[in-house]
Amino acid sequence: MLNERQYIIIELLTKAPSPIRADEIAKIVVKSKRTIMRDLSSIKLFLESNNVGELMVSPDQQGYKIRIIDDQAYEEVMMKNINDEHIILYQLIMNDYVTIEQLADLLFVSRITASEKVGVIKETYSSVLNITVSHKGHYLAESNVTKCFLLSNLVETNPKYYLELARVTAEQYELLLSQLKHSKVIMDYFPNMSESQLANLFIASLLYINNGCEENEDFEYIYEACQLSYTPQAIKNLSLVSDYCVNTNLNLGIHQIEEILQKIEQENNIRFSNPELAKQLYHHLKRILCYPVFLKSKEIHNISNIKALYPFAFDLGIVFIDYMKKLYDYRITNSDLIGLYFTVGMESMMKKKPHILIYSHVNSIANINRQLIEASISNCKVEICDSLEQVQLEDFSLIVNSSSEALECNLPVFQTEYIFSETDLAKLKAMMENISIGYSLKTIFPKEYSFTYKVKENESWLEILAAICDRLEESLVISKEEAKRIIEREKSGNPLVINNYSVPHCISKRENFVICIYIHLDRPVMVETTSVSQVLLTMMNPNMNKSINIFKFLYRYLQEYQEPLSTVESYDEFIQFIEK
């Protein structure tokens, strides 16, 4: 059985117009190249054993692509393998209890494999679904409304399969979509829901069995217009979901969101500069609360890349969701989407307007380079001069020296006498992002607090992190509150791991503060599904991002020096790559 990451890689390589290198795949799914090579080996065996496709290697061995040799067989195999998870969820919805033996027979696997599959599902959905176990078997401890929504999610993933279960033809389903689209009355029952979501809900209501019965002429009319057989139980399901949607729409207010954003600002000593953030979150929440999606979203499978660049935004998204639950009992099922809103909301406070000086005696080339820089680096101010005596150098971040003179100054200098190439612009952009860090390298990455941690037998990652925080707290490097925040952030799930480096982090209230402490683990430990040997404990006040974006810096260097950095065992070995 392939894992979720391997399915993502199959999808990437199947749809890619040209071969993709292993290191590029590694960046997309945020794993080491070595892990990707093992994944590719498993994928090759999977394709060959099912006789559906071929993993092709480009002649120079630099890229991989998948060629499907039997489209229909491939679709059937992929659906069967991917939907083991969905089959288990369906059984949990439809039955009071499900035993491992029943699942093993249903999936044609061993009891051990069936138990492993259930374990993975429980862990995957632990934050949004209460899947528990008793002496009778596993069961879904959720309301009828939640079960109807989850079943509706499943219908959306594989309409053909569930339409057959409900004895609904494709033509009847298309008619159902049309009826719902043109029914103003029905849409009033289900505010903020699209007709396709509602159609899936009507199908799910036919499938789900409850103990209640109800009548509703409007719902009955839709079923009858599509020549669909229904029961009073199906009408009851729709009525329960309608009551939930109407109440949610009535109770949710933008003032609730504004109140929580203010709390987050006060607690973290920050200010969201996007005045539209509350309104954007409000409109998003209206949609996802009135039709929650519990299943994993494939559309944002590379979300880990964005998390690595903007972890504070996603951390604040988790805090926001916790407040929504605690204060108003709203259950938000996809924290990643909320994190994206906070990423956009924090974007302007995370940037400092770059100020670049082009020193040149050839005005035409200088003007072309200015246009190229301004087009490549957003929100950038560029000035041109032919004499450095005319300007105040301390006003600038960097000098582009387009003269033949050797410059002696305290500013970083980018040397070129020609029109910028794409490579030059990429180097300049990277140089701009690293300027502040380069000047403060030993302060941001202090050697005196770095150490090797001796991992005890059977010691968990959270126990190790707690011990690390205790030691740093005793050394007065971090405060008790910061240590607590780091532990709480790591407990909340989705830890930030780049290759085999764990980056536990928290927002610090200290003004103009940023620190990244290197700790080597004398033996690797599992952080969720990744083996980790190095720790970069990072704290920063988000306002420092105006001049220093430590996470972009770490992400780029951990990717650029991925192989050699995976084997370092000391601060000195680590810092030599950062200094390059």
Side-chain angles (χ1 to χ4, degrees):
M1 178 184 177
L2 298 179
N3 59 39
E4 182 187 355
R5 183 181 65 253
Q6 289 162 348
Y7 282 119
I8 290 171
I9 294 172
I10 287 178
E11 189 173 352
L12 284 172
L13 299 184
T14 303
K15 295 180 178 179
S18 57
I20 305 178
R21 297 198 314 271
D23 56 347
E24 292 174 338
I25 299 172
K27 290 179 181 179
I28 292 172
V29 299
V30 195
K31 289 293 178 182
S32 69
K33 183 178 177 181
R34 185 175 296 147
T35 298
I36 298 305
M37 297 304 291
R38 289 197 299 268
D39 285 339
L40 290 171
S41 178
S42 298
I43 288 168
K44 181 180 180 182
L45 291 173
F46 170 80
L47 294 171
E48 291 175 352
S49 61
N50 288 284
N51 197 31
V52 294
E54 175 188 7
L55 179 67
M56 304 174 66
V57 186
S58 57
D60 56 1
Q61 298 256 328
Q62 291 298 307
Y64 299 85
K65 185 168 173 49
I66 289 176
R67 181 177 70 89
I68 303 302
I69 58 178
D70 187 331
D71 290 328
Q72 184 175 351
Y74 170 74
E75 291 295 334
E76 290 175 357
V77 168
M78 290 296 285
M79 190 63 69
K80 179 183 182 301
N81 280 272
I82 293 173
N83 277 346
D84 278 356
E85 174 185 292
H86 293 178
I87 290 170
I88 293 172
L89 289 174
Y90 179 77
Q91 294 300 315
L92 289 169
I93 294 168
M94 302 299 290
N95 297 283
D96 291 335
Y97 297 95
V98 181
T99 66
I100 294 299
E101 290 79 7
Q102 290 171 331
L103 291 176
D105 291 341
L106 190 65
L107 300 173
F108 303 103
V109 297
S110 67
R111 290 182 72 258
I112 293 175
T113 301
S115 180
E116 289 174 350
K117 287 176 182 285
V118 172
V120 170
I121 290 171
K122 287 174 69 175
E123 182 177 349
T124 301
Y125 292 97
S126 61
S127 62
V128 293
L129 290 173
N130 186 11
I131 301 172
T132 189
V133 65
S134 74
H135 66 281
K136 294 182 180 180
H138 285 83
Y139 62 97
L140 184 59
E142 295 288 356
S143 67
N144 286 334
V145 169
T146 296
K147 291 179 179 179
C148 282
F149 275 128
L150 179 56
L151 185 50
S152 179
N153 295 168
L154 291 173
V155 172
E156 185 177 352
T157 64
N158 192 350
K160 182 179 178 182
Y161 175 77
Y162 290 100
L163 288 178
E164 288 179 0
L165 280 182
R167 297 181 181 178
V168 176
T169 67
E171 292 76 15
Q172 287 174 314
Y173 183 72
E174 288 300 320
L175 184 55
L176 176 60
L177 282 169
S178 178
Q179 288 286 335
L180 294 171
K181 182 177 183 180
H182 296 96
S183 175
K184 174 66 168 64
V185 174
I186 291 296
M187 300 312 283
D188 287 340
Y189 282 99
F190 302 94
N192 306 311
M193 200 179 294
S194 70
E195 59 263 19
S196 63
Q197 292 171 336
L198 191 47
N200 294 330
L201 187 60
F202 265 70
I203 301 301
S205 295
L206 293 176
L207 291 168
Y208 182 63
I209 300 172
N210 65 44
N211 297 321
C213 296
E214 195 165 315
E215 295 180 356
N216 182 300
E217 292 182 356
D218 294 322
F219 300 160
E220 292 165 3
Y221 172 81
I222 295 293
Y223 278 130
E224 290 168 359
C226 303
Q227 298 182 336
L228 293 172
S229 299
Y230 63 90
T231 65
Q233 290 179 322
I235 304 303
K236 178 67 173 179
N237 291 333
L238 290 172
S239 297
L240 288 172
V241 173
S242 174
D243 291 344
Y244 163 82
C245 290
V246 170
N247 288 332
T248 299
N249 187 56
L250 284 173
N251 294 330
L252 180 66
I254 194 169
H255 65 279
Q256 298 168 337
I257 297 167
E258 290 171 340
E259 176 190 352
I260 292 174
L261 292 179
Q262 288 173 5
K263 284 180 176 291
I264 293 174
E265 286 180 330
Q266 292 168 1
E267 290 174 356
N268 296 282
N269 193 26
I270 60 175
R271 180 76 178 171
F272 297 119
S273 53
N274 178 12
E276 299 295 310
L277 180 57
K279 186 186 296 184
Q280 291 167 352
L281 285 169
Y282 174 65
H283 288 298
H284 175 70
L285 290 177
K286 282 200 302 184
R287 295 190 298 272
I288 67 167
L289 288 176
C290 285
Y291 187 85
V293 176
F294 297 92
L295 303 180
K296 297 185 293 293
S297 173
K298 290 184 178 179
E299 286 74 18
I300 52 174
H301 61 257
N302 62 342
I303 194 74
S304 297
N305 296 18
I306 305 173
K307 285 182 178 179
L309 297 174
Y310 302 104
F312 284 160
F314 288 87
D315 293 352
L316 295 180
I318 293 171
V319 173
F320 175 84
I321 289 170
D322 289 343
Y323 267 127
M324 291 293 287
K325 176 65 177 175
K326 182 170 68 174
L327 297 179
Y328 305 110
D329 200 30
Y330 293 127
R331 176 164 58 176
I332 299 171
T333 56
N334 194 324
S335 63
D336 287 345
L337 292 178
I338 297 295
L340 289 176
Y341 279 94
F342 275 88
T343 298
V344 175
M346 295 180 71
E347 186 66 20
S348 58
M349 70 176 284
M350 297 167 80
K351 288 184 176 179
K352 179 184 178 183
K353 189 173 184 178
H355 197 180
I356 297 175
L357 177 65
I358 298 179
Y359 176 49
S360 175
H361 300 305
V362 183
N363 192 261
S364 58
I365 293 178
N367 273 290
I368 292 173
N369 280 341
R370 176 169 64 181
Q371 293 176 30
L372 291 170
I373 292 172
E374 289 175 341
S376 175
I377 303 176
S378 61
N379 199 30
C380 181
K381 182 180 179 182
V382 183
E383 294 184 25
I384 299 172
C385 77
D386 57 10
S387 172
L388 295 180
E389 296 176 359
Q390 301 172 0
V391 295
Q392 296 289 330
L393 292 182
E394 58 267 22
D395 295 336
F396 296 90
S397 306
L398 176 143
I399 297 177
V400 174
N401 184 13
S402 293
S403 73
S404 56
E405 303 173 23
L407 299 185
E408 293 185 7
C409 62
N410 293 325
L411 290 179
V413 176
F414 188 91
Q415 186 72 40
T416 181
E417 298 179 33
Y418 308 102
I419 294 174
F420 276 118
S421 65
E422 289 187 8
T423 302
D424 291 331
L425 288 169
K427 290 179 179 178
L428 179 65
K429 193 172 182 179
M431 191 173 180
M432 286 297 300
E433 290 178 351
N434 294 340
I435 284 172
S436 297
I437 292 178
Y439 280 139
S440 313
L441 196 64
K442 296 299 175 65
T443 303
I444 296 172
F445 298 92
K447 182 175 183 178
E448 60 268 31
Y449 305 122
S450 174
F451 60 91
T452 294
Y453 182 86
K454 294 184 178 180
V455 179
K456 301 181 182 68
E457 191 72 31
N458 299 321
E459 193 173 17
S460 71
W461 164 238
L462 286 176
E463 291 171 334
I464 293 169
L465 183 58
I468 289 172
C469 286
D470 286 344
R471 174 167 172 171
L472 294 175
E473 189 181 339
E474 290 174 4
S475 302
L476 303 180
V477 185
I478 65 177
S479 68
K480 186 173 184 178
E481 180 187 3
E482 288 166 342
K484 181 181 177 183
R485 283 183 165 218
I486 289 169
I487 299 297
E488 287 180 348
R489 168 61 193 88
E490 210 70 5
K491 282 182 179 178
S492 68
N494 293 314
L496 177 55
V497 179
I498 309 174
N499 299 331
N500 70 328
Y501 279 68
S502 176
V503 190
H505 57 277
C506 78
I507 293 174
S508 173
K509 293 182 181 180
R510 289 185 260 181
E511 292 186 11
N512 301 318
F513 180 72
V514 56
I515 193 169
C516 184
I517 301 169
Y518 171 85
I519 298 115
H520 172 66
L521 305 181
D522 69 341
R523 53 181 169 177
V525 63
M526 294 301 294
V527 179
E528 288 198 343
T529 59
T530 305
S531 177
V532 164
S533 301
Q534 329 284 343
V535 179
L536 294 174
L537 192 143
T538 306
M539 297 182 301
M540 183 173 68
N541 186 300
N543 293 313
M544 280 294 289
N545 270 338
K546 293 177 180 177
S547 57
I548 295 175
N549 194 326
I550 186 68
F551 294 103
K552 279 189 176 181
F553 180 85
L554 289 175
Y555 182 76
R556 180 168 52 252
Y557 276 88
L558 291 178
Q559 295 289 3
E560 185 174 350
Y561 301 107
Q562 179 177 335
E563 292 300 324
L565 277 171
S566 67
T567 60
V568 305
E569 296 184 354
S570 69
Y571 171 90
D572 291 332
E573 289 180 86
F574 169 76
I575 207 70
Q576 69 173 314
F577 294 102
I578 301 297
E579 289 179 322
K580 288 185 179 181

